[in-house]
Amino acid sequence: MVARVIPVEDFDLVIFGGTGDLARRKILPGLFHRYLAGQIPPEARIVGAARSEMDAEGYRAFTREALQEFAPNSCKDGGQVEAFLAMLSYVAIDARGDGGWKELAGLMRPDVVQAFYFSVAPALFGDLAERLHGHGIATEASRIVVEKPFGRDLESARQLNRGLAEYFTEEQIYRIDHYLGKETVQNLMAVRFGNVLFEPLWNAQFVDHIQVTVAETVGVGGRGEYYDKSGAMRDMVQNHLMQLLCLIAMEPPSKFDPDAVRDEKLKVIRALDPVAPEDIVRGQYRAGEDGPSYLEEVGDPRSTTESFIALKVHVANWRWNGTPFYLRTGKRLRARMSEIVVVFKEPPHSIFGDDAGRSANILTIRLQPDEGMTLQVTIKEPGPGGMRLIDVPLDMSFAEALGESGNQMPDAYERLIMDVVRGNQTLFMRGDEVEAAWAWTDPLIAGWEARRDKPQAYHPGTNGPEDSLMLLHRDGRRWRDLEA
Ligand code: NAD
């Protein structure tokens, strides 16, 4: 099965922060992959814009290196690499000054799609927006892409939204949450709304509980100073885990269009109950054989920022009344693994008797390390000797089921950048969604700050703090094992 690739229309894409880490690792390799897939028209222009002084040739050399490092397997055809690099140019620009803006204006073509990727610190968003307008570069049809973190609380998110809204309408603003660009996350919607099997069962009557895990094995490393100001709640839960929760819990939108989907997600966020203190577990990793502790890495022995958090969350509406959503995310854990697990209730009555065993259906949606879905079903253990039941997985690993095209699934960034050019906002967060997520998050953080709550230490390479296990244990449940 070969994936169908529909070329996008001609465009000018400016990457502010075009020499940064994100551009090197994700944006430029992502664009290159889409180019190789035949999706980018040869006339399209990609303009790097950053503080470093260099010319177009220098930027092409910079990009060549980035592709060799982050997309080595795609660089075998040198001719293709050079053809892609020929689309690139560069402007040395100061987001807070006047240098470079005239030159940028001269490069833009008025008659094609214009997109500006703000791959810079959010403190510069307002400056960029103002100058794009002041220099007459942005038009009413231009699109801007903004990166996380979108604020650190409700007030700062509102300020960012207001700053952008001075110059751009909501239809022009693409707030990236790259989790939404993952193939499996979109597949979650396909599975829910493209089949009759799941949706009738997708509610409190049949679902016992839901687990969302985003586990990392790495620590904060060189990002310590930045990370210590945010922590797992701000860095991961408010955005990525919240988005996953929304897609699992939302009502079926009337159609798959940007506002219909985002309206339903917003309703979920607004239906979230406040979380009781005993339903929040925060942790910090200790030193291990292969690395320093969190406190050593951030260089502050008194830091109370969490590198791990687990929460029991309730969506207080008709569909989910009484079904808990357990969320957890953390660093330096046993395995790098992201997954959504929907645990259905056991059948109400076993006709086979207690000796046969009984268990629940479990739908697992894996996002990392490989993408795929598994549905655990109960069958008869083969062989004579009576009726004993066992669980077997119905595996829907994309790479296997879809052959070649499953292996070549585009990275989230590739997909999302192409959506910007196409003008499709479905997989981007709307301003009110982001604000609603902060409105739920803020009181939880304020609560543990007021209680002077200290995170529980946990050993690296484990499942996180003991209390996180207890969070489910006391409800008679257990987390799925962390395994890669
Ligand atoms: P970075 O520090 O590596 O790069 C910053 C870029 O901004 C550089 O190109 C620099 O030249 C440019 N820049 C800085 N000040 C400027 C100014 N005054 N005028 C013009 N250009 C200026 O940062 P990064 O890691 O690439 O991150 C960029 C954005 O993406 C940030 O908002 C970050 O939070 C977000 N983000 C990054 C990652 C990642 O993996 N790196 C992941 C998610 C989100």
Side-chain angles (χ1 to χ4, degrees), residues 189-206:
M189 288 186 275
V191 165
R192 274 195 68 187
F193 305 127
N195 295 285
V196 293
L197 284 181
F198 297 104
E199 203 45 32
L201 307 179
W202 208 261
N203 55 52
Q205 194 187 344
F206 294 102

Side-chain angles (χ1 to χ4, degrees), residues 105-116:
L107 283 175
M108 304 302 292
R109 295 170 296 166
D111 51 344
V112 299
V113 170
Q114 291 184 354
F116 301 94

Side-chain angles (χ1 to χ4, degrees), residues 17 19-22 25 50-51 93-95 119-120 122 124 147-149:
T19 59
D21 177 65
L22 186 67
R25 285 193 308 111
R51 258 195 313 202
I93 218 161
D94 182 1
S119 182
V120 295
L124 297 177
E147 266 295 341
K148 85 169 208 187

Side-chain angles (χ1 to χ4, degrees), residues 205-247:
Q205 194 187 344
F206 294 102
V207 176
D208 179 72
H209 73 282
I210 285 161
Q211 303 183 10
V212 181
T213 297
V214 178
E216 296 176 273
T217 51
V218 294
V220 292
R223 288 175 71 223
E225 201 183 323
Y226 158 79
Y227 188 90
D228 199 44
K229 293 194 202 96
S230 65
M233 185 71 176
R234 289 189 170 99
D235 193 46
M236 296 298 293
V237 177
Q238 183 274 342
N239 40 48
H240 307 314
L241 276 82
M242 175 73 78
Q243 288 298 317
L244 298 180
L245 167 69
C246 284
L247 296 181

